Amino acid sequence: MDFEALREFMVQTQLIPRGIHDKRVLDAMLKVPRHLFVDEPMQFKAYDDMALSIDENQTISQPYMVAIMTELLELKGNEKVLEIGTGSGYQAAILAELAKEVFSVERIASLAGRAEERLYAIGYKNIHIKVDDGTLGWPEESPFDRIIITAGAPKIPDPLTGQLSENGILLAPVGDRSSQQLMKMIKIKGTITEEFHTLCVFVPLIGKHGWKTGE
Ligand code: SAM
């Protein structure tokens, strides 16, 4: 299959018409080989306008959702980014194209391991992955200029707000288990402001400061 042509088609039909306009984000979506982040039998669907299943009942988010979340992070290239929910590693790869360093936390060890293998094989050197409860953040590496949660949270975990740097942006799907809204939190002079964006559906953020179980 001509995956490069499929990526171009994805950008032209799913991202630009829905308002994604940051050229750096569009270029990253054109560049990162999304098909390498799903199992081989699913690769023909990798550029479709939908989330796809990965192992352990988890998902790789719809391309548009990855693009809008990335655009809302306003990355310029020098940032240290924390991602909660490594999953397949695809969002981490997009972030790594646009920021200086990416720290990504995944609670399921097998997913973290596969993501690490893929990212290494593709050649990313600025992504660090650890297996842990991401609702606790990554205190030893904090503060972070940007934090992105890629699982649905009942509320923003307090440890993450604490690990966000001054002028930092935190983005998360917040709501109940069946639907959420993208929330963008901006910290300026110690004061937090909140904006709400598109509605979305993510698998649950499970942990000490998230949902207690996957049910
Ligand atoms: N960003 C991923 C990608 O590009 O493939 C998609 C993430 S998937 C929608 C959500 C992920 O969050 C799952 O892999 C899930 O195991 C993980 N997750 C849920 N709760 C977590 C927690 N407390 N800490 C870390 N990861 C968590």
Side-chain angles (χ1 to χ4, degrees):
M1 291 188 88
D2 185 349
F3 290 117
E4 204 176 323
L6 290 176
R7 275 200 293 284
E8 176 73 38
F9 188 72
M10 170 187 84
V11 166
Q12 294 300 333
T13 60
Q14 300 170 33
L15 307 187
I16 294 174
R18 288 184 179 130
I20 304 298
H21 56 271
D22 183 333
K23 179 153 184 334
R24 295 182 73 236
V25 174
L26 293 170
D27 285 348
M29 298 293 294
L30 278 174
K31 180 176 173 192
V32 176
R34 180 173 163 92
H35 61 282
L36 297 183
F37 293 85
V38 298
D39 287 340
E40 218 173 327
M42 300 277 276
Q43 286 190 347
F44 73 102
K45 283 186 167 184
Y47 299 96
D48 288 1
D49 191 12
M50 58 172 78
L52 295 173
S53 297
I54 55 173
D55 295 342
E56 309 285 353
N57 285 327
Q58 303 300 320
T59 53
I60 172 172
S61 304
Q62 178 197 25
Y64 170 66
M65 195 50 61
V66 174
I68 184 139
M69 290 181 87
T70 308
E71 188 164 270
L72 287 168
L73 285 176
E74 300 176 29
L75 295 166
K76 303 286 182 273
N78 270 328
E79 298 85 358
K80 187 172 181 181
V81 182
L82 174 67
E83 178 194 27
I84 309 304
T86 314
S88 68
Y90 176 67
Q91 174 79 70
I94 295 284
L95 295 170
E97 293 287 339
L98 300 171
K100 191 168 174 197
E101 270 193 298
V102 179
F103 293 81
S104 186
V105 188
E106 171 56 57
R107 63 182 281 272
I108 301 176
S110 60
L111 292 180
R114 288 202 66 192
E116 204 157 34
E117 279 167 23
R118 287 182 184 120
L119 292 163
Y120 180 79
I122 298 171
Y124 287 101
K125 302 226 173 1
N126 58 341
I127 303 174
H128 316 274
I129 294 177
K130 83 163 172 173
V131 179
D132 204 348
D133 174 3
T135 69
L136 303 171
W138 196 324
E140 311 79 43
E141 289 294 342
S142 70
F144 296 96
D145 304 305
R146 301 288 186 268
I147 298 178
I148 174 172
I149 306 177
T150 63
K155 64 178 186 56
I156 305 290
D158 287 339
L160 298 186
T161 317
Q163 291 172 31
L164 185 64
S165 68
E166 189 54 39
N167 298 319
I169 297 176
L170 184 155
L171 199 69
V174 178
D176 58 31
R177 280 168 178 275
S178 54
S179 74
Q180 305 91 33
Q181 190 163 11
L182 273 189
M183 184 193 207
K184 177 172 175 175
M185 186 185 252
I186 307 165
K187 198 190 243 186
I188 299 173
K189 296 198 174 126
T191 304
I192 302 279
T193 57
E194 291 170 1
E195 287 173 10
F196 287 90
H197 293 269
T198 185
L199 294 172
C200 48
V201 179
F202 277 79
V203 293
L205 178 77
I206 299 165
K208 184 166 180 214
H209 300 273
W211 298 103
K212 296 304 167 220
T213 66
E215 303 310 312

